[in-house]
Amino acid sequence: MRHSRNRIDHSARDPRETPARGERPGPALPPAAVRALQLQRTAGNQAVSGLLAGHLPVQRTLAWHGKPVATYEDLPQEDRDRIKKSIDAVYGMFVQPVIEAMIDDRRIHRVTVGLAVKEIPKIIDLLFEYEKNPPKPSPDNPRSRIALQLLEKQQEAKKLNSKVKTSYAETVSVPNLREFNRFLDTNPAFVDYLTKAGIRIFFRSKSANNIGGLYTHADRIVHLEPGVEGERPGIFLRLLLHELGHASFQRMLMTTKPDALNQDEQAFRDAWTVLRRNNGQYLLGLDLGRGRQPDERRKYQAGDFMEFCAENFMHRVTAPGLLNKHLMTINKPGNHVPQDVRDAWRDAIVILDKYVRLLLR
């Protein structure tokens, strides 16, 4: 997802810089720290608690010619072209991975076209060296951190491709590769299902442009639009597992016969028919980032039975605690939730859990 290129507000101040009225002033932050906070705030990447996956968010901020950018696509096209034309062709394919590694790094990098042209070959030469002889202990300097991050990305992408067929896994950020690999390691039965069903994942797919994700049943491909691979780990995993929910739970649930419904599909559809009323008032909606707020996710499910299938599979496998809390609220005595809504959720969960146990056992 693209982030807007806002100008840096040099007048903006962090709460730690200016005490509230009546408070004693704290120690002044160094200018570099103040600048870092300004960059971070302007790019909209402040750390927030309660991240979906339970991890601190990736900082994802780079100062490019003094302006904050959060994705490689935020760099002006002419700057990207100048870099590639100015370095040896063997290094040209590494321009985007290196810039993205700088964005993902825990420290803010201040980069210009000239600096990128100078540093990218050195970083890649170091990467080639580390591929043969990884350093022990790992040196902590910017060039080495970027090279090691690229090495880890190669390893995580290779690990993912050993489990599931993918396209462009190497474009996914290291934290997201780690998170998805961890999920697959924990759920070998799901890996087995995806393998036997011939499911493939296409990252940065133009087929999913402006819609986030898409599952095409005919060729059994899960598509994720460019930008999703760089989302925060929790959001990335949920968007991916929503699409994999189409490819797994929905695929298992729905009959291929156009004029017939099996018993489980009929029960799940009946529950959806009740829960979709009033724009999905009693459905669970989670915050999945810009353009995917809870109310929008409820309406999304209410408008399409297949999205109801995929979204609730995602809820059950990535946020079981939040789904259970929602159900407890629905069934809380005295909260005036209609009885048919309570019954619909009861029936839906029975079907959902039946298939999740088959997929994730």
Side-chain angles (χ1 to χ4, degrees), residues 34-328:
V34 173
R35 177 70 167 169
L37 286 165
Q38 291 171 339
L39 282 166
Q40 201 171 8
R41 180 164 54 250
T42 306
N45 287 291
Q46 287 177 292
V48 293
S49 61
L51 189 66
L52 298 177
H55 302 288
L56 288 175
V58 180
Q59 184 164 278
R60 301 199 64 75
T61 306
L62 174 73
W64 185 260
H65 287 272
K67 295 182 179 180
V69 298
T71 70
Y72 177 73
E73 286 76 13
D74 286 342
L75 272 64
Q77 183 64 53
E78 62 180 297
D79 287 356
R80 289 181 258 167
D81 294 340
R82 283 173 59 198
I83 296 171
K84 292 180 179 179
K85 290 178 181 178
S86 301
I87 62 177
D88 192 285
V90 72
Y91 299 113
M93 63 182 293
F94 293 100
V95 172
Q96 181 170 347
V98 170
I99 297 297
E100 289 177 340
M102 290 178 176
I103 292 172
D104 283 341
D105 194 26
R106 63 180 181 271
R107 298 179 188 175
I108 293 176
H109 292 264
R110 293 168 177 78
V111 187
T112 63
V113 169
L115 185 62
V117 169
K118 176 183 175 182
E119 285 297 319
I120 288 174
K122 294 178 180 179
I123 290 170
I124 298 308
D125 287 343
L126 200 55
L127 169 63
F128 293 156
E129 179 183 330
Y130 287 169
E131 286 176 341
K132 299 176 182 177
N133 301 297
K136 298 179 180 180
S138 300
D140 188 19
N141 64 69
R143 197 176 290 159
S144 295
R145 280 201 315 275
I146 299 303
L148 286 170
Q149 189 175 146
L150 292 171
L151 179 61
E152 183 183 3
K153 175 177 279 196
Q154 289 181 359
Q155 295 168 339
E156 291 287 345
K158 183 178 180 180
K159 181 179 179 181
L160 176 58
N161 283 319
S162 71
K163 298 183 179 74
V164 183
K165 294 179 181 179
T166 73
S167 296
Y168 301 107
E170 67 279 359
T171 66
V172 180
S173 72
V174 173
N176 287 335
L177 283 170
R178 272 198 231 111
E179 196 74 12
F180 189 36
N181 275 325
R182 187 179 299 120
F183 176 83
L184 295 177
D185 287 342
T186 306
N187 297 287
F190 194 56
V191 176
D192 187 57
Y193 172 84
L194 296 177
T195 301
K196 290 179 178 178
I199 306 299
R200 183 160 69 95
I201 304 171
F202 195 138
F203 298 105
R204 298 184 66 83
S205 172
K206 293 182 180 180
S207 296
N209 273 355
N210 302 315
I211 57 175
L214 171 72
Y215 172 65
T216 50
H217 179 75
D219 52 14
R220 300 183 182 182
I221 297 178
V222 164
H223 303 262
L224 289 182
E225 73 171 332
V228 170
E229 74 283 350
E231 286 280 5
R232 298 197 305 270
I235 289 180
F236 166 82
L237 188 63
R238 287 184 178 171
L239 292 173
L240 175 54
L241 283 168
H242 170 97
E243 298 306 329
L244 287 171
H246 286 300
S248 57
F249 170 57
Q250 176 199 314
R251 183 170 174 269
M252 291 175 69
L253 178 68
M254 296 178 66
T255 179
T256 56
K257 297 178 181 179
D259 299 323
L261 300 180
N262 64 51
Q263 187 174 358
D264 288 344
E265 181 186 356
Q266 184 66 68
F268 210 67
R269 279 185 179 273
D270 289 345
W272 171 72
T273 301
V274 173
L275 296 173
R276 70 188 297 258
R277 294 188 311 226
N278 300 320
N279 289 319
Q281 177 183 357
Y282 294 108
L283 290 171
L284 174 61
L286 298 180
D287 185 350
L288 299 184
R290 185 183 304 176
R292 310 183 194 100
Q293 300 301 309
D295 282 346
E296 293 164 329
R297 300 309 290 185
R298 282 189 281 268
K299 292 177 184 178
Y300 189 50
Q301 297 172 67
D304 191 314
F305 172 68
M306 291 185 289
E307 300 307 334
F308 174 69
C309 293
E311 194 85 343
N312 281 287
F313 172 79
M314 177 269 286
H315 291 159
R316 186 45 107 196
V317 300
T318 70
L322 293 177
L323 180 55
N324 290 338
K325 182 178 179 181
H326 179 73
L327 296 175
M328 289 176 64

